[in-house]
Amino acid sequence: MTAAQPTPALTLTADEARRIALRAQGLLGAPDRRAGVRGMLRRLGAVQLDTISVLARSHELVPYARLGAVGRPAVEGAYWGSETTFEYWSHAACLLPVEEWPLFAFRRRAYRAKGHHWGHQVSPQAYRQVLDRLRAEGPLTSTELGGAKKTSEWWDWSETKMAVERALAFGDVVCTDRRSWKRVYELAELAVPAELYAQDPSDLECLTKLVRQAGEALGVATRTDLTDYHRLKVEQVDAVLADCGLLPVTVAGWGPAPVAAWADPAALASEPRGRHRTTLLSPFDSLIWDRARTERIFGMAHRLEAYTPRHKRVHGYFAMPVLAGGRLIGRVDPAREGRTLVARQISLTDRRQLPALAQALREAADWVGCTAVRVEALDDDTLRPALERLLAD
């Protein structure tokens, strides 16, 4: 049963909602360079992790999109090793600010009550052995625990790997660091700051704060958008919407009729102004990770084609939307060959945006240490001479 929508405070246009969303995500206005990567993470509330690395891994592309050419070692240093973050299941496998540890108590309790994790059965002995090893030896990877997965498929994990991942889900262990992209597991009671570890908010308290945080990160959002941000259940969101501090609004232009939504009061307090970022976006960026929301706000039906058979791909293996002027103006499927950034496939929705596309390509190339850009395929090849001139300037 859908919760009743209170009388909206005001009606926003689709353009107003788009600008509010961009500012909330840190892509409109001056970037907060003083707060840096950690400040960006606190603002977003979650950065999705993924194994695919083309220009860089997705968690590196997210701060690049907002802060510009921040050094990649600085990104890694801000994310891991200082116990200011932890990895957990949010929108997907995500990096979260450690301040959010108490807010996921509801999910840890749910996993524990369920008694297993993704159907994995783990013996009590294996579980105890993992915790005993970590207590005796300190932080360890699954390989160091003696139980690396046999293959990349989760169903082929060793019992030790299953046990430590189960402990991660339950909250007995936590990952605040990685070594060579391997999770480093540590007892949560030692790694999480004591004042946070001691907190035990109710499910309702967790959900209220998470829905408010999602609303702040999105700026303006439908009930479905709020549900998707941390992959909550609809009934969980409905239970706290009235008390989470977000304001009911409607957005004209998000559908044939005005669409009911919720907005962060701070986002409505001032008109979004400032410089728009021009950049390539990871498909896992929180601005666009919700495909229905992306289409509603930007008019682009985008999907990741990395797991689509090559002959069925339309835009490429890791097609990255191009953001310019607050709009998605096309896609680039990038690759690297030595010191050359290769645009395997480019599609552009508006030929007037060619200079913005060239800027995004040049800046991305510089950031990853490439000295040249080569364009392989353009959806409109008549644009090639002009684009190559722009890239050569």
Side-chain angles (χ1 to χ4, degrees):
M1 182 175 177
T2 302
Q5 174 87 358
T7 303
L10 76 160
T11 296
L12 301 170
T13 67
D15 275 348
E16 287 171 334
R18 176 178 53 80
R19 290 194 296 272
I20 287 172
L22 286 164
R23 182 175 64 180
Q25 283 281 304
L27 290 157
L28 171 60
D32 188 354
R33 300 192 189 280
R34 182 174 297 180
V37 177
R38 288 178 186 165
M40 178 218 70
L41 178 59
R42 287 193 296 271
R43 178 176 191 156
L44 299 182
V47 168
Q48 186 172 341
L49 300 169
D50 194 80
T51 58
I52 296 174
S53 180
V54 180
L55 290 182
R57 292 194 191 275
S58 183
H59 67 270
E60 298 173 285
L61 294 166
V62 172
Y64 165 71
R66 287 154 179 81
L67 303 174
V70 57
R72 294 172 70 184
V75 172
E76 298 299 310
Y79 279 154
W80 284 291
S82 60
E83 297 187 343
T84 61
T85 66
F86 71 106
E87 294 184 27
Y88 202 63
W89 300 103
S90 166
H91 181 80
C94 287
L95 195 69
L96 308 166
V98 74
E99 293 85 357
E100 290 183 14
W101 171 265
L103 305 187
F104 284 87
F106 84 99
R107 187 158 284 165
R108 294 191 291 269
R109 285 192 288 262
Y111 278 133
R112 195 178 291 274
K114 195 174 182 181
H116 59 81
H117 190 43
W118 296 311
H120 296 170
Q121 298 302 319
V122 176
S123 70
Q125 295 83 358
Y127 195 85
R128 283 197 304 271
Q129 286 171 3
V130 162
L131 299 184
D132 289 345
R133 284 282 307 280
L134 293 175
R135 184 168 287 107
E137 301 178 35
L140 299 169
T141 67
S142 57
T143 301
E144 291 165 340
L145 281 165
K149 51 189 178 180
K150 300 171 188 175
T151 71
S152 61
E153 308 300 344
W154 65 263
W155 56 80
D156 203 21
W157 284 353
S158 69
E159 188 177 31
T160 299
K161 174 66 174 175
M162 289 183 190
V164 76
E165 285 293 325
R166 184 179 187 181
L168 185 77
F170 288 4
D172 287 331
V173 307
V174 66
C175 172
T176 66
D177 197 5
R178 283 191 177 234
R179 297 178 194 150
S180 303
W181 194 240
K182 293 179 181 178
R183 278 178 175 163
V184 178
Y185 302 94
E186 186 174 3
L187 291 179
E189 63 195 69
L190 300 179
V192 178
E195 67 275 14
L196 297 174
Y197 185 77
Q199 294 179 28
D200 189 27
S202 68
D203 285 10
L204 208 60
E205 289 171 323
C206 294
L207 295 166
T208 300
K209 291 180 179 179
L210 282 175
V211 171
R212 175 61 184 255
Q213 188 278 320
E216 291 171 350
L218 293 169
V220 58
T222 66
R223 171 171 161 266
T224 302
D225 297 342
L226 294 170
T227 301
D228 181 75
Y229 203 79
H230 291 297
R231 294 285 166 86
L232 304 176
K233 297 177 181 177
V234 171
E235 57 268 27
Q236 291 174 323
V237 173
D238 285 347
V240 301
L241 258 177
D243 301 313
C244 70
L246 300 177
L247 296 179
V249 298
T250 55
V251 182
W254 274 8
V259 172
W262 299 80
D264 172 22
L268 301 177
S270 62
E271 184 179 350
R273 295 181 182 277
R275 183 180 179 185
H276 287 283
R277 284 285 295 146
T278 297
T279 189
L280 302 181
L281 293 171
S282 163
F284 303 113
D285 192 295
S286 51
L287 179 72
I288 59 170
W289 65 18
D290 183 334
R291 305 312 184 209
R293 177 176 168 87
T294 300
E295 187 165 4
R296 188 188 328 122
I297 294 179
F298 296 105
M300 177 181 281
H302 185 71
R303 63 188 296 265
L304 178 68
E305 296 180 335
Y307 306 107
T308 301
R310 184 188 296 270
H311 68 282
K312 293 185 178 181
R313 292 175 190 156
V314 177
H315 296 289
Y317 174 79
F318 196 73
M320 299 178 67
V322 184
L323 179 70
R327 300 182 185 277
L328 299 182
I329 63 165
R331 301 171 177 86
V332 174
D333 183 33
R336 291 174 66 184
E337 293 181 5
R339 299 292 299 277
T340 299
L341 187 156
V342 181
R344 289 177 172 169
Q345 187 172 339
I346 294 176
S347 57
L348 193 64
T349 57
D350 183 350
R351 61 189 303 135
R352 292 172 299 181
Q353 295 290 347
L354 203 62
L357 170 65
Q359 178 186 339
L361 287 169
R362 287 199 312 268
E363 290 182 357
D366 289 344
W367 178 57
V368 297
C370 289
T371 56
V373 178
R374 187 176 80 245
V375 177
E376 288 189 345
L378 267 166
D379 61 341
D380 180 358
D381 210 55
T382 63
L383 299 175
R384 181 180 295 276
L387 177 58
E388 290 182 345
R389 282 196 300 272
L390 288 166
L391 290 172
D393 288 345

